[in-house]
Amino acid sequence: MATNYVVTAHKPTAVTKSLTGHFSGKDDLNLIVVKNTLLEIYLVTPEGLKPKKAVEIYGRVAVMELFKTEDSEKELLFLLTNRYNAMILECVKDGNDLEIVTKAHGNVMDKIGRTPESGIIGMIDPMGKTIGLRLYDGLFKVVPLTKELYHQPEKEVRAFNLRLEELNVIDIKFLHGCNTPTIIIIHQDTHGRHVKTYEINLREKEFQKGPWNQDNVENEAFMLQSVPMPFGGALIIGQESITYHRGDGQPITVAPSIIKQSTITCCGSVDKDGSRYLLGDMQGHLFMLLLEKGEKPDGTIYCKDLKVELLGETCIPETLTYLDNAVVYIGSKIGDSQLIRLDIKPDERGSYVQVLDSWTNLGPIVDMCVVDLDRQGQGQLVTCSGAYRDGSLRIIRNGIGIHEHASIDMAGIKGLWPLRLNQSETDNILVMTFVGETRLLKLYDDEVEETEIEGFYAAERTLYCSNVAHDQILQMTMTAIRLISKFGGGQVAIWKPADGKKINVVSANDHQALCACGKQLYYFELGSGQITLARSIEMPAEVACLDITPLCDEMFSTICAVGLWDMSAMTINLKDMSILHREELGGEILPRSILMATFEMNPYLLCALGDGSLFYFHLDKDTGLVSGKKKVTLGTKPTFLKTFQSQTATYVFACSDRPTVIFSSNHKLVFSNVNLKNVTFMCPLNTDMYRDSLAITDDGSLTFGTIDEIQRLHIRTIPLQETPRRIAYQESTESFGVISMRIDKQGTNGPEPVRHSASEIATNRSSAISKVLASAVGASGEHNIGDEVEIFSILFLDQQTFTITHAHQLLLNEYAVCITSTRLGTDADPYYIVGTALISPEESEPTQGRIIVFSYLDGKLNTITEKEIKGAPYALCPMVMADGTIKLLAGINSTVRLFEWTADKELRPECQHSNNIVSLYIKVKGEFILVGDMMRSMTVLVYKPAEGQLEEIARDFNPNWMSAIEIIDDDIFIGTENNMNMFTCQKDSASTSDEDRQHLLTTGLYHLGDFVNVFRHGSLVMHHHLIENSSPISKPILFGTVNGAIGLVVQLPPEFYVFLKDLQERIASVIRSIGKIEHSFWRQFTTERKVIQDCKGFIDGDLIENFLDLSQDKKQDVVNGLKIDDESGMTKDATVDDITKIVEDLTRIH
């Protein structure tokens, strides 16, 4: 049985809902954002949006509304998930933290009912008396908001249904200014679209005739916006017009040409009186809709006119939320979300929009590939993300980038320190030490020159140097310790060891210093012009490394850390030089660097060895005791540890052949690799020219650079301004091939570009000429002037710069469907192979297409051959034969075909298999072929070269509509389907029955809650970063989703799966989920056919990792009675530390 661990490596980023209100307190203005299952709460401040809380909901949020009760000054939050779990939530302040409390909850699903095509609609009436839900065609569900519902703890949400005569309802809203809860609907029948109103009689539980109706509104009307008093009424928004209707007069309609250019996606209110609204469309246009106010003689306010004005361009919006002071949050599903300010006057481009901030969104991830561009053994993801003007490639890596500003060729540097001379508030000297000398570099503007400091001894190697208290510079060399005036007054104090002993290792801070001569350890206190030897002690072995860094923002250190040649580390009390704790490190490798560091106010002791491994411990700063010993391998050579600050937080840079930045996230240490191949020394540097920078050395150069924002995943964006559809990587030519689609407007002389996008601005451009499709191009339908025309291109990008070196435009009405890179036959050179289909509006599925073989060498694109096919090639996959030749598999409509590469460089069909509806996906391992069908789940084929045929050997007979597939190993396969479920199937090779062997057994079922588009073998973590004796995981597979999440599936041995299953159930019983939704309910395999099966074969890694965020008491509750292996074949009672280590190890696989 396949047992798997599923975890989110990157949370969803596509915004599906947002609103603003007073949720966390009556004086707090909050922005609440939903990203699929993730609920984020921000505080709106003058400095911007401040994140306050992020919680996972066990369900995809379909409805989110804030409402206020009569006796509360802050608002409550109503949520409904796609599986009909309703909840009313309150935000309670707990010190600096926020706690989300479930006031009421329940499931409002009906046993029978047809899900509407327009999805779930939910709203709360303006008086706060009623929640209205449209969950099924022909029914309107009402949840009365009684006081008991939100005053009594954990009250059950109860609802009743009202019958709606109108079956095809497009949108519903509650009207303002009505004494009785009144809804307005847009519905469609055979005569067109109409608007109707109903009053809800809560006592009789029935609809009554509403105040007004309007037949035959715009045929494309799709959105309602209820207008508050004093206007009242509603806005009816269509594709070509906007109508205001109140029922007591003639409707007011405006149909400006600017809103006809694209589809309006969302509407957001600006003013409480309903006089202004923001509108956004699919081209990223932002409009202001103004209701012009009129006043009748009796004082009644009415809408005199509607005006629409274009404000500028933004990301393509899904939500528009006006915050305050002309600041608007724009949430996007297919682009980066933005915070903008609306200016009073337009800029030079005529735009009123000023972008204040943005949030990266990877969604939708349509395709991706895993590559090792730096050849460091670490995978990077390159994703096809976004769409239309927000389309882009995203390069995602686990780690931190250093952006180089300047570099100097300089070999042999043994140490670096910054200094501040005279009155300078920034670093203006860089100390560089070598084997037999020390040099000083003066830094000003972007130039450097060698200089001297009076009293500074440059004729030998410096072991330590820094500014210290009393405007002095401390220099520690192998022969002496010196204090020097920073104002040029020369040396003010010196200390030398007796009998000409050599100083081996040193450490210091602003007020204290340590040095060791062999076994002898000396402790000094630094005064004004004084170096006072306070105490000394003879150590049990020669000293290998020292540290005296103060902990927890204190100025003085009361303890020091010492690494010894006997492979031990210890902490020493500086008051009496007594040994507080000694820790045996084991092995035969010397400690080379030791450091005390404070992360998130938690002290740690780090000790790096000569083989690149690192021990780290929790450190009690009062007693000096260390605990929780853990080991991680950072590199293969001696590692040097150095602290630096970034945005008020402390980080540790581990200099080695695989440099790493160490930091803390949620009170656990994170090890992020740096995009440099080798770092020998580093120091923080803050000069006038290079603010908040680092000086870094390798074997031959000195580099100044700044560090990325420190986070788990670093994302780089390559904007395309058109939709990327598929991507392939070609290692030998160091290039990427990308299928992209842009939308042009049909002009008098053919399609004309709407904007400058990637395929339009490429360095080299070419257009397709087809011999095999020449006769069919004209028959593909004509376009009228002004029509939107989809133009497909193949983009070729350099892997280092990601510049587009060539763009190849396909034929009109020719859609590129897939791309792969491979060698063919026995050819040495690789090819890009593209599958295309000719789309005709008269055809239900394509009947013509071609497979094009390109050669891309030295930046030049050549078409080698093209093969006409009778259909659309949805998938292309190379297949390596036993003799090393490579053939090409193609999924063409309902068939799977195998092509061989001839000596004439042509594709010749060899055999095919034709037992599918639509062969969407193909994966190959050895002689086995996995096919994912649009409707008929997965099929396993085998290629038999002797017979020259493809033979079906097993099939999953469940009717799953597949969205992605992958081969785990020879017998186990994983897939996802359109109901956002993940499952594994296994070949029953051991069965004696032929019929049983033809069935793929379902061994794993899991509801992921997000739509997966792509699986790829690989990992974002360097192999050497995995913890020694870490979790026994294997075969990592990454996946990308529509909502921008990146996930990881790894295989677990059965015994570890059983242990994690027990741990998962214990954690689920301890964690109080939002809305009281059971974890087991959330992960049930559920389809539109109401087939519900419990999760099996999968562990929810997101839930397991929540263990680290529990309080100590709850951790203990989880661990009580839990058994673990004691590594001798026996079991023992687990401790909190045991489980913490296991879970921390699991967090480091992604």
Side-chain angles (χ1 to χ4, degrees):
M1 175 179 168
T3 49
N4 314 276
Y5 182 87
V6 186
V7 67
T8 305
H10 185 69
K11 300 285 186 189
T13 52
V15 173
T16 50
K17 303 196 178 300
S18 68
L19 50 75
T20 185
H22 304 280
F23 185 47
S24 62
K26 65 174 184 175
D27 299 322
D28 294 345
L29 181 61
N30 300 112
L31 172 71
I32 306 174
V33 176
V34 169
K35 299 173 179 177
N36 194 31
T37 60
L38 187 66
L39 182 74
E40 296 179 342
I41 301 166
Y42 295 85
L43 183 66
V44 180
T45 71
E47 293 76 34
L49 294 178
K50 183 178 180 182
K52 299 296 289 182
K53 187 80 172 177
V55 292
E56 283 284 345
I57 307 295
Y58 286 167
R60 293 180 291 121
V61 177
V63 176
M64 177 173 69
E65 294 287 342
L66 279 170
F67 67 98
K68 195 171 184 179
T69 61
E70 294 175 358
D71 54 353
S72 175
E73 293 182 318
K74 65 179 183 180
E75 293 171 294
L76 300 178
L77 184 67
F78 172 75
L79 294 182
L80 179 74
T81 71
N82 275 62
R83 285 159 74 174
Y84 311 113
N85 287 103
M87 63 196 82
I88 295 174
L89 307 176
E90 181 184 15
C91 185
V92 178
K93 288 186 177 179
D94 181 14
N96 292 326
D97 196 16
L98 299 180
E99 184 181 357
I100 308 301
V101 177
T102 303
K103 302 285 285 183
H105 63 95
N107 193 292
V108 293
M109 181 174 66
D110 293 343
K111 290 184 179 179
I112 56 172
R114 192 176 74 174
T115 305
E117 289 184 7
S118 53
I120 293 173
I121 302 174
M123 59 274 171
I124 298 178
D125 86 281
M127 296 177 288
K129 293 181 179 179
T130 308
I131 299 171
L133 302 171
R134 197 289 305 270
L135 309 180
Y136 306 102
D137 284 334
L139 292 175
F140 184 78
K141 192 175 290 288
V142 176
V143 181
L145 283 172
T146 60
K147 287 187 177 181
E148 292 78 15
L149 190 62
Y150 43 79
H151 278 301
Q152 296 181 8
E154 299 185 13
K155 186 78 175 172
E156 184 180 355
V157 172
R158 296 187 180 275
F160 60 87
N161 283 329
L162 301 179
R163 177 68 61 184
L164 260 177
E165 295 177 6
E166 297 76 20
L167 293 178
N168 191 1
V169 174
I170 310 301
D171 197 14
I172 308 181
K173 287 289 188 295
F174 275 108
L175 286 175
H176 286 262
C178 302
N179 296 325
T180 303
T182 304
I183 63 168
I184 177 172
I185 68 171
I186 301 178
H187 70 97
Q188 182 168 349
D189 60 19
T190 54
H191 302 292
R193 293 193 178 181
H194 320 284
V195 170
K196 203 168 185 178
T197 61
Y198 288 103
E199 290 184 354
I200 301 172
N201 188 325
L202 292 173
R203 181 173 295 176
E204 301 296 329
K205 296 184 179 180
E206 65 180 14
F207 278 133
Q208 295 177 341
K209 185 179 178 181
W212 56 273
N213 300 325
Q214 175 67 52
D215 290 337
N216 298 316
V217 295
E218 185 196 317
N219 275 334
E220 298 297 322
F222 68 97
M223 186 188 300
L224 291 167
Q225 179 69 44
S226 181
V227 180
M229 300 304 288
F231 290 102
L235 293 167
I236 304 160
I237 301 170
Q239 301 289 2
E240 298 186 343
S241 67
I242 300 170
T243 300
Y244 170 78
H245 204 313
R246 183 169 172 168
D248 57 359
Q250 190 68 23
I252 300 171
T253 299
V254 62
S257 59
I258 53 174
I259 71 167
K260 300 177 185 178
Q261 297 175 10
S262 186
T263 304
I264 291 175
T265 59
C266 56
C267 176
S269 172
V270 174
D271 303 304
K272 290 183 178 179
D273 67 357
S275 58
R276 291 184 299 170
Y277 293 88
L278 293 169
L279 301 170
D281 70 9
M282 283 298 292
Q283 288 188 3
H285 295 132
L286 184 67
F287 304 98
M288 179 72 80
L289 171 65
L290 176 67
L291 277 66
E292 194 172 326
K293 186 185 294 185
E295 188 171 346
K296 295 180 180 178
D298 61 358
T300 305
I301 302 298
Y302 69 99
C303 178
K304 190 164 62 174
D305 197 7
L306 296 179
K307 292 184 177 178
V308 178
E309 185 174 355
L310 176 64
L311 300 179
E313 286 196 354
T314 67
C315 59
I316 299 173
E318 178 73 12
T319 67
L320 289 167
T321 305
Y322 183 84
L323 301 178
D324 201 4
N325 294 326
V327 175
V328 182
Y329 176 79
I330 304 178
S332 181
K333 283 177 70 172
I334 56 178
D336 292 349
S337 296
Q338 294 176 334
L339 189 70
I340 66 164
R341 175 183 285 119
L342 299 177
D343 293 332
I344 298 173
K345 296 181 179 179
D347 60 17
E348 63 276 3
R349 296 176 290 111
S351 173
Y352 294 86
V353 175
Q354 177 189 353
V355 178
L356 303 177
D357 204 351
S358 64
W359 290 264
T360 300
N361 170 28
L362 299 182
I365 300 173
V366 184
D367 194 17
M368 64 187 191
C369 58
V370 183
V371 295
D372 181 12
L373 299 180
D374 298 328
R375 292 185 172 83
Q376 289 185 316
Q378 181 198 6
Q380 297 181 35
L381 269 182
V382 183
T383 66
C384 294
S385 294
Y388 310 113
R389 71 183 302 274
D390 289 334
S392 65
L393 299 181
R394 307 291 176 119
I395 301 100
I396 304 155
R397 54 180 168 76
N398 190 325
I400 294 166
I402 303 290
H403 300 285
E404 181 180 312
H405 295 315
S407 184
I408 305 169
D409 289 335
M410 197 167 291
I413 297 175
K414 300 298 182 185
L416 289 172
W417 301 272
L419 291 179
R420 298 182 181 188
L421 287 189
N422 303 317
Q423 301 291 345
S424 178
E425 295 182 356
T426 58
D427 302 327
N428 53 8
I429 297 289
L430 183 66
V431 180
M432 303 180 301
T433 193
F434 301 83
V435 172
E437 63 171 340
T438 301
R439 297 183 194 172
L440 305 176
L441 280 186
K442 185 177 180 181
L443 310 171
Y444 59 96
D445 294 334
D446 59 347
E447 297 182 6
V448 296
E449 65 177 22
E450 283 204 39
T451 188
E452 295 179 353
I453 298 175
E454 185 181 352
F456 191 95
Y457 191 69
E460 65 176 322
R461 179 179 175 181
T462 298
L463 302 178
Y464 181 89
C465 189
S466 75
N467 288 87
V468 293
H470 310 294
D471 294 324
Q472 300 174 128
I473 294 169
L474 174 68
Q475 183 194 13
M476 307 176 78
T477 68
M478 298 179 71
T479 58
I481 301 174
R482 294 176 175 85
L483 283 177
I484 304 155
S485 169
K486 80 168 193 175
F487 297 113
Q491 177 180 300
V492 296
I494 187 169
W495 178 88
K496 292 185 177 183
D499 305 325
K501 291 180 180 176
K502 295 291 185 185
I503 299 173
N504 307 116
V505 287
V506 299
S507 180
N509 59 46
D510 283 358
H511 301 275
Q512 301 161 289
L514 286 174
C515 77
C517 304
K519 293 184 179 182
Q520 198 68 31
L521 178 64
Y522 300 94
Y523 165 55
F524 304 91
E525 292 175 351
L526 307 176
S528 178
Q530 292 182 323
I531 303 172
T532 304
L533 176 59
R535 280 167 283 281
S536 67
I537 182 176
E538 185 171 338
M539 304 302 292
E542 194 166 330
V543 177
C545 48
L546 291 170
D547 186 56
I548 195 174
T549 302
L551 294 168
C552 300
D553 297 328
E554 294 179 356
M555 295 183 65
F556 293 84
S557 181
T558 58
I559 60 176
C560 70
V562 183
L564 299 176
W565 278 56
D566 63 0
M567 275 58 88
S568 69
M570 60 176 60
T571 54
I572 293 176
N573 187 341
L574 292 174
K575 293 179 180 177
D576 56 11
M577 301 304 280
S578 60
I579 296 174
L580 298 172
H581 184 92
R582 179 168 182 163
E583 186 75 26
E584 295 295 335
L585 302 176
E588 300 178 353
I589 308 297
L590 283 177
R592 298 296 293 268
S593 183
I594 197 165
L595 183 67
M596 297 183 293
T598 306
F599 299 110
E600 296 185 301
M601 294 309 292
N602 295 317
Y604 287 83
L605 177 65
L606 312 178
C607 186
L609 308 188
D611 61 354
S613 56
L614 172 81
F615 287 99
Y616 61 99
F617 312 83
H618 289 283
L619 173 62
D620 187 316
K621 70 182 182 67
D622 298 319
T623 65
L625 299 179
V626 302
S627 59
K629 178 181 179 181
K630 296 189 178 77
K631 185 180 181 183
V632 61
T633 301
L634 299 181
T636 61
K637 294 180 180 179
T639 301
F640 170 71
L641 303 173
K642 180 80 173 181
T643 57
F644 68 98
Q645 301 283 323
S646 179
Q647 297 180 346
T648 72
T650 299
Y651 302 91
V652 172
F653 199 109
C655 306
S656 72
D657 57 332
R658 289 166 182 161
T660 304
V661 169
I662 306 167
F663 61 101
S664 179
S665 176
N666 292 326
H667 300 285
K668 56 181 181 280
L669 289 194
V670 178
F671 301 85
S672 269
N673 52 289
V674 178
N675 66 337
L676 298 172
K677 288 187 169 59
N678 185 37
V679 173
T680 52
F681 295 96
M682 69 74 61
C683 71
L685 191 66
N686 186 27
T687 71
D688 290 332
M689 187 69 185
Y690 304 122
R691 295 279 182 173
D692 298 319
S693 299
L694 302 177
I696 296 170
T697 67
D698 57 21
D699 293 330
S701 65
L702 168 66
T703 300
F704 303 124
T706 52
I707 198 162
D708 283 332
E709 180 185 350
I710 292 178
Q711 52 197 15
R712 289 287 293 262
L713 288 179
H714 178 66
I715 301 168
R716 177 184 169 196
T717 301
I718 309 298
L720 300 178
Q721 294 205 318
E722 55 188 75
T723 306
R725 302 297 294 267
R726 294 289 184 269
I727 187 168
Y729 175 59
Q730 200 167 88
E731 186 177 3
S732 61
T733 60
E734 297 187 342
S735 64
F736 290 93
V738 177
I739 293 175
S740 76
M741 182 272 291
R742 72 174 191 268
I743 295 181
D744 288 359
K745 285 288 179 70
Q746 182 70 23
T748 53
N749 297 319
E752 298 173 354
V754 176
R755 64 171 50 85
H756 291 299
S757 60
S759 56
E760 281 292 302
I761 60 175
T763 309
N764 299 297
R765 293 163 58 192
S766 57
S767 296
I769 299 172
S770 174
K771 297 176 182 177
V772 299
L773 293 184
S775 61
V777 174
S780 298
E782 297 296 327
H783 297 282
N784 298 320
I785 292 177
D787 285 354
E788 291 186 340
V789 183
E790 294 183 344
I791 303 294
F792 280 78
S793 300
I794 317 300
L795 310 179
F796 298 92
L797 296 89
D798 178 84
Q799 76 166 34
Q800 296 299 332
T801 63
F802 281 89
T803 54
I804 298 165
T805 54
H806 195 105
H808 181 74
Q809 183 172 310
L810 297 176
L811 303 170
L812 194 62
N813 301 313
E814 185 180 20
Y815 283 42
V817 186
C818 56
I819 185 171
T820 189
S821 169
T822 181
R823 293 184 297 106
L824 288 173
T826 57
D827 290 2
D829 293 329
Y831 301 105
Y832 279 112
I833 307 171
V834 178
T836 73
L838 207 64
I839 304 300
S840 172
E842 289 82 29
E843 296 176 345
S844 59
E845 67 174 2
T847 57
Q848 277 191 301
R850 57 178 178 152
I851 299 173
I852 317 166
V853 181
F854 293 107
S855 170
Y856 181 73
L857 294 172
D858 302 323
K860 294 182 180 179
L861 184 70
N862 292 304
T863 303
I864 304 301
T865 188
E866 57 177 335
K867 175 70 179 175
E868 182 182 8
I869 51 177
K870 300 300 181 184
Y874 293 103
L876 293 172
C877 190
M879 188 173 190
V880 183
M881 302 293 111
D883 60 359
T885 60
I886 298 175
K887 298 181 180 182
L888 184 70
L889 279 163
I892 303 171
N893 287 10
S894 62
T895 65
V896 177
R897 297 184 190 174
L898 183 67
F899 294 90
E900 63 178 354
W901 188 243
T902 68
D904 297 328
K905 296 189 181 297
E906 302 246 332
L907 288 171
R908 185 177 69 82
E910 181 179 340
C911 55
Q912 71 176 44
H913 176 266
S914 305
N915 192 19
N916 290 293
I917 305 296
V918 178
S919 305
L920 290 179
Y921 313 103
I922 295 177
K923 294 294 172 78
V924 174
K925 188 175 191 297
E927 60 188 8
F928 295 110
I929 302 157
L930 181 67
V931 182
D933 189 79
M934 182 172 73
M935 299 168 63
R936 296 177 61 183
S937 196
M938 296 191 288
T939 305
V940 180
L941 310 178
V942 65
Y943 172 62
K944 295 190 171 180
E947 293 89 348
Q949 66 179 29
L950 299 172
E951 181 180 305
E952 181 178 316
I953 59 172
R955 173 184 290 277
D956 176 22
F957 287 89
N958 293 304
N960 292 317
W961 293 55
M962 301 305 294
S963 66
I965 62 170
E966 190 53 86
I967 299 174
I968 295 176
D969 59 30
D970 287 345
D971 294 318
I972 303 171
F973 316 99
I974 190 168
T976 53
E977 47 85 81
N978 68 333
N979 290 295
M980 306 188 187
N981 298 303
M982 182 179 288
F983 64 99
T984 53
C985 290
Q986 188 165 349
K987 284 192 306 189
D988 190 9
S989 304
S991 175
T992 55
S993 164
D994 288 343
E995 184 177 348
D996 289 346
R997 283 199 298 271
Q998 290 171 3
H999 284 251
L1000 286 176
L1001 304 177
T1002 302
T1003 55
L1005 297 168
Y1006 184 79
H1007 183 70
L1008 185 69
D1010 205 345
F1011 193 98
V1012 175
N1013 274 325
V1014 57
F1015 283 109
R1016 289 288 182 262
H1017 282 281
S1019 169
L1020 290 171
V1021 179
M1022 278 193 176
H1023 298 300
H1024 66 267
H1025 275 187
L1026 294 177
I1027 310 297
E1028 290 190 359
N1029 304 317
S1030 67
S1031 308
I1033 55 107
S1034 61
K1035 304 182 182 75
I1037 298 172
L1038 292 162
F1039 60 84
T1041 75
V1042 162
N1043 286 295
I1046 297 170
L1048 180 71
V1049 183
V1050 294
Q1051 312 312 301
L1052 301 172
E1055 63 278 3
F1056 193 47
Y1057 168 80
V1058 172
F1059 166 76
L1060 288 180
K1061 184 78 171 172
D1062 186 11
L1063 179 61
Q1064 175 178 278
E1065 291 169 357
R1066 289 165 175 267
I1067 295 172
S1069 67
V1070 166
I1071 290 178
R1072 299 174 63 186
S1073 68
I1074 305 295
K1076 306 298 177 186
I1077 304 172
E1078 294 290 333
H1079 178 264
S1080 56
F1081 172 85
W1082 163 230
R1083 293 307 184 189
Q1084 283 177 339
F1085 187 100
T1086 310
T1087 71
E1088 291 173 351
R1089 304 183 310 280
K1090 302 293 188 292
V1091 176
I1092 297 176
Q1093 295 175 274
D1094 288 338
C1095 170
K1096 67 174 183 178
F1098 285 91
I1099 297 295
D1100 184 352
D1102 294 337
L1103 179 64
I1104 293 289
E1105 292 181 8
N1106 280 341
F1107 177 82
L1108 300 175
D1109 300 326
L1110 296 177
S1111 66
Q1112 196 64 26
D1113 291 342
K1114 287 190 175 182
K1115 285 181 180 177
Q1116 192 59 55
D1117 291 342
V1118 170
V1119 169
N1120 286 337
L1122 190 61
K1123 302 285 187 181
I1124 61 168
D1125 186 5
D1126 66 356
E1127 299 180 1
S1128 67
M1130 305 293 287
T1131 60
K1132 66 173 184 176
D1133 289 331
T1135 66
V1136 170
D1137 287 345
D1138 291 334
I1139 303 305
T1140 299
K1141 183 180 186 307
I1142 290 170
V1143 177
E1144 283 186 348
D1145 288 354
L1146 285 169
T1147 65
R1148 295 194 180 99
I1149 68 174
H1150 62 84

